[in-house]
């Protein structure tokens, strides 16, 4: 094809381009190349040396700045005014149409050469662009290559720096640039191809929000600088044309970001141990709030990382402190959400909305549809292993928030509410922007208000929308109800509508909706940033500001004198008890169930005295293995190592017939003896006679520990493995210790006055393996286990916080009590059993020198020589990625980062120093605790961290 390159504008372009209506009868193709006019002016100023009249003029002429702003044929520059050139060529592009006209932006070529090269290739219909050809073109078109190529002398004076934003270095004042912007808006305000220039011509992004952490319930965002409403068009930030005064909604065809797989996979993570998936949310959006809340309810906080936007700006949603996920992690803020969309598809035409679920491995958007994201999170491969009993709401989320048997009803309910309640912000936007068709907005508001009454009637009969179990559509509805009185009624003028009957939370018109909202609020409030609700009141100011830019009009912004609802009053109502709820739902189940205290430590809710007694009285064999490990100290990992050594691989490194045999306990994860029914007979009786809550809880436990009873532990093949978090001489099998005798009283109920008396005739039996980990990393791992706790690190209305609980030695409410005391007890047990039958494994040693520790375990158990082939097979099998892939959802939940020294990323030095003092007080002189110190001080951890990242 022939190429004709020129600076000429439409008037001088070939007539054949434009023949026929809308260019349909024309021939040839038009490519228009444009650049933001501020950089273009600076480049022209320096072209072939500085002009004699300089920037501001002298006896030689008016100067570059004045010449550049001249209009109406007065500009003396070659080819006239660039402003008018752009306007004329925009007309050319619009006349020809996008099938034969393409606009290429200089900035896009700089930022995404390969994406733009593909655009040009596709526009010219040149067929498949191979990677080799694309790479060769990129190299040939690099600035240095062009200048050094044969015949490149011309390029040397026509190409200079070629950067973006160099105009900010020009010796012009803010007043000069303000005058420039005024001319731009006057001539090019409604010129489509000039829209992307605004972003590159900002001195700073307008309308930046205040930091979310600095806002409170009394903050009025209307007082902030207004922002420009923007979207992405062909990958470029442009003003959103939806808000044009002339009603020309020219957004184009918006890209649909939808996942092409039915499930998420948590098998992979990044080299630093961070999760594969990351959420970008904004608490000003109810849909994004719902996804954030669902993430926590589903126990996925440690599997899906998240950033919360501070608010909207002239470049869309912004995260002032930067982004915490790959590939932007570590870069200084602010960070804008449009970068996520651009990296996923560099030429996308889309609104810049949250939530966004980001895949850090493929570096693609999984979805930006809130409902699809919630369903994806609730459909993980073996979700029943991931979801725990929800004590606060008294329900088991065993199939996430979208139970399969209810999915059709859930979808129908969601569809119904999407056409009413969930559409309230879109209808309200039409109302305040005055872009809706006559009568349509009123009809939609009437449908929304009517639906509120229907829901109020429905929730007078049901606890939740679909019965007595919580579903995802309940979470979505709650987020809209929380905002109705605070945002929608005043902003959209709902109280002026004939169907309006009153407030939801601050009145008595919807008693069932109020009770429903209050009940759900108690469970969801830890995930909310209610101070961000008010940011919706910035919208009218943003609309006016955007219209000023598009149409170059002087319009005053709305007044900020009108009061907006008091969020303190809204929160006060939500904090009140839920009353008037259907039977079985009026009183919210208590979180403060009686603690189970045994031998001075808090036990988990699964603990059974009967099986703990059986474990205590266990008839040990010489080759039995008692594994005792602290919570989050490596129990799952060491259980897997022992299985691999004992049963799964032969000396050649090949799998045996017993490989992954789940017909016995402890094979695909530990089976805690204190959590099991004693026998099938007891199980059958209790499941038939106990209440519904007990049955639900026990079913959930079976998904975690397998369908086993204590008898199954006894019937394991030798050597038998017994794995638990139990520790201390009064809870571990008594025959493990020297001096045991038949008939000894068990101190399982906390009465140790009749503890074991020395009996010289009996020696201890069996082998003990104790697993310990530095207590700072243990604390961080526990804090993130199954999602961040509602009381956070430092406490709130839900409790004292992870840190305070951890250092409360005597009254620690955590399962199995204080980690400090657990290590102290374990040290006493190891000393009592002796080195011949007790082995201490340190998590950090396993992490940093797995091969040596594997040999130690092999030798301790008296197994045959450990061959290289078997050692290699065990190491591969016990790698975190392999365990997640082969053993399903439970390990995906239990295994997080596993990094040594991760504690440095949390809390401050003052609290860690207090932690060290507690450590010295409780564990000073305890032999098994001394090696942990080196990993609890910062000296030397940098080398360890680097070694882990490399491995």
């Amino acid at each position: 094809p022939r190429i004709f390159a020129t600076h000429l504008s439409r008037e001088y372009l070939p007539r054949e381009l434009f023949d026929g209506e809308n260019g349909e009868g024309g021939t040839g193709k038009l490519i228009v190349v444009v650049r933001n006019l501020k950089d273009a002016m600076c480049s022209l100023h320096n072209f072939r040396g500085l002009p004699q009249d300089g920037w501001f003029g002298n006896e030689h002429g008016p100067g570059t700045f004045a010449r550049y702003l001249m209009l109406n044929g007065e500009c003396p520059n070659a080819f006239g005014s660039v402003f008018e050139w752009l306007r004329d060529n925009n007309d050319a592009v619009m006349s020809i149409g996008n099938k034969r006209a393409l606009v290429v932006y200089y900035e896009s070529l700089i930022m995404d050469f390969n994406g733009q090269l593909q655009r040009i290739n596709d526009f010219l219909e040149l067929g498949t662009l191979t990677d080799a050809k694309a790479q060769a073109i990129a190299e040939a078109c690099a600035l240095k290559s062009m200048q050094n190529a044969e015949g490149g002398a011309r390029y040397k004076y026509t190409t200079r720096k070629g950067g973006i934003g160099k105009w900010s270095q020009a010796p012009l004042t803010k007043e000069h640039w303000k005058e420039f912007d005024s001319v731009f808006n006057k001539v090019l305000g409604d010129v489509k191809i000039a829209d992307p220039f605004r972003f590159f011509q900002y001195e700073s992004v307008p309308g930046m929000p205040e930091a979310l952490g600095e806002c409170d319930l009394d903050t009025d965002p209307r007082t902030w600088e207004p922002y420009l409403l923007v979207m992405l068009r062909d990958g470029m930030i442009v003003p959103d044309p939806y808000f044009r005064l002339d009603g020309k909604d020219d957004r184009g065809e918006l890209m649909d970001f939808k996942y092409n797989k039915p499930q998420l996979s948590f098998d992979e993570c990044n080299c630093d141990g961070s999760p594969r998936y990351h959420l970008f949310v904004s608490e000003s959006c109810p849909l994004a709030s719902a996804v954030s809340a669902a993430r926590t309810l589903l126990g996925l906080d440690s599997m899906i990382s998240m950033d919360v936007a501070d608010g909207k700006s002239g470049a869309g949603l912004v995260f002032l402190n930067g982004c915490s996920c790959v590939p932007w992690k570590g870069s200084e803020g602010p960070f804008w959400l449009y970068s996520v969309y651009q990296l996923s598809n560099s030429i996308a035409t889309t609104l810049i909305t949250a939530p966004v679920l980001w895949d850090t491995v493929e570096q693609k958007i999984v979805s930006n549809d809130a409902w699809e994201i919630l369903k994806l999170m609730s459909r993980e491969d073996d979700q029943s292993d991931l979801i725990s009993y929800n004590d606060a709401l008294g329900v088991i989320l065993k199939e996430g928030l979208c139970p399969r048997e209810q999915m059709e009803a859930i979808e129908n309910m969601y569809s119904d509410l999407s056409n009413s309640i969930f559409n309230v912000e879109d209808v309200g936007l039409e109302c305040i922007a005055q872009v809706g068709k006559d009568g349509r907005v009123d009809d939609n508001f009437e449908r929304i208000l009517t639906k509120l009454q229907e829901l109020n009637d429905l929730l007078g009969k049901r606890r939740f929308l679909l019965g007595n179990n919580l579903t995802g559509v309940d979470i979505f509805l709650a987020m809209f109800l929380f905002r109705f009185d605070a945002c929608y009624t005043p902003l959209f003028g709902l109280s002026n509508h004939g169907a309006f009957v009153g407030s939801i939370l601050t009145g008595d018109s919807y008693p069932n909706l109020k009770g429903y909202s209050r009940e759900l609020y108690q469970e969801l409030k830890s995930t909310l940033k209610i101070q961000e609700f008010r940011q919706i009141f910035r919208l009218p100011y943003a609309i006016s500001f955007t219209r000023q830019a598009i149409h170059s009009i002087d319009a005053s912004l709305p007044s900020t004198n009108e009061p907006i609802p008091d969020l303190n009053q809204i929160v006060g109502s939500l904090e009140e008890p839920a009353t008037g709820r259907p039977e079985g739902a009026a009183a919210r189940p208590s979180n403060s169930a009686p603690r189970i205290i045994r031998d001075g430590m808090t036990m988990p809710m699964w603990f059974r005295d009967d099986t703990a007694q059986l474990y205590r009285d266990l008839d040990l064999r010489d080759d039995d293995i008692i594994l005792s490990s602290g919570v989050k100290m490596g129990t799952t990992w060491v259980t897997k190592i022992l299985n691999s050594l004992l049963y799964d691989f032969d000396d050649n490194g090949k799998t045996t017939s017993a490989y992954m045999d789940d017909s016995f306990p402890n094979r695909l994860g530990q089976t805690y003896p204190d959590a099991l029914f004693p026998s099938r007979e007891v199980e059958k009786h209790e499941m038939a006679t106990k209440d519904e809550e007990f049955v639900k809880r026990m079913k959930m436990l079976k998904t975690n520990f397998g369908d086993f009873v204590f008898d199954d532990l006894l019937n394991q093949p030798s050597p038998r493995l017994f794995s638990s978090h139990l520790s201390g001489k009064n809870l571990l099998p008594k025959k493990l210790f020297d001096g045991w005798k038949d008939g000894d009283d068990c101190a399982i109920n906390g009465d140790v006055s009749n503890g074991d008396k020395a009996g010289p005739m009996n020696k201890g039996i069996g082998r003990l393996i104790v697993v310990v980990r530095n207590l700072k990393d243990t604390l961080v791992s526990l804090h993130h286990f199954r999602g961040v706790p509602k009381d956070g690190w430092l406490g709130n209305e839900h409790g004292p916080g992870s840190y305070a609980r951890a250092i409360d030695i005597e009254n620690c409410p955590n399962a199995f009590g204080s980690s400090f005391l657990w290590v102290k007890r374990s040290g006493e047990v190891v000393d009592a059993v002796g080195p011949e039958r007790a082995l201490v494994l340190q998590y950090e040693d396993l992490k940093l020198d797995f091969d040596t520790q594997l040999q130690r375990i092999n030798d301790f158990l008296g197994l045959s020589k450990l061959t290289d082939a078997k050692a290699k097979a065990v190491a591969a099998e016990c790698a975190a990625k392999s365990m997640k892939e082969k053993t399903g959802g439970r390990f995906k939940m239990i295994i997080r980062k596993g990094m040594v020294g991760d504690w440095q990323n949390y809390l401050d030095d003052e609290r860690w120093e207090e932690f060290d003092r507690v450590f010295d007080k409780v564990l000073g002189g305890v032999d098994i605790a001394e090696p942990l110190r080196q990993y609890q001080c910062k000296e030397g951890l940098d080398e360890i961290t680097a070694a882990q990242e490399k491995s």
Side-chain angles (χ1 to χ4, degrees), residues 934-950:
Q934 62 179 311
Y935 303 108
Q936 294 180 179
C937 60
K938 293 185 177 180
E939 292 77 7
L941 281 182
D942 289 343
E943 294 181 7
I944 292 173
T945 300
Q948 291 177 96
E949 290 178 349
K950 183 177 180 181

Side-chain angles (χ1 to χ4, degrees), residues 219-225 531 534-538 564:
T219 300
D220 187 350
R222 298 178 301 172
T223 61
W224 303 347
E225 181 187 14
Q531 67 270 36
R534 280 185 162 186
Q535 292 201 23
I536 195 173
F537 287 95
R538 299 181 74 196
I564 53 180

Side-chain angles (χ1 to χ4, degrees), residues 14 367 400 404 467 726 785 852 881 934:
S367 178
R404 293 174 181 85
L726 297 172
F785 181 51
T852 299
K881 182 177 179 181
Q934 62 179 311

Side-chain angles (χ1 to χ4, degrees), residues 528-581:
L528 298 173
K529 303 283 190 300
I530 292 182
Q531 67 270 36
E532 201 166 355
F533 285 11
R534 280 185 162 186
Q535 292 201 23
I536 195 173
F537 287 95
R538 299 181 74 196
L539 189 55
Y541 305 86
I543 293 172
S544 295
F545 186 71
T546 303
R547 285 173 171 170
Q548 289 180 34
I550 292 176
H551 300 292
S552 187
I553 57 175
D554 292 325
S556 60
L557 296 175
S559 171
T560 60
N561 295 327
E562 292 294 326
I564 53 180
D566 184 356
L567 286 181
N568 294 283
Q569 184 182 7
I570 303 295
V571 173
S573 174
L574 286 169
E575 288 285 4
E576 292 181 18
T579 58
R581 303 291 287 120

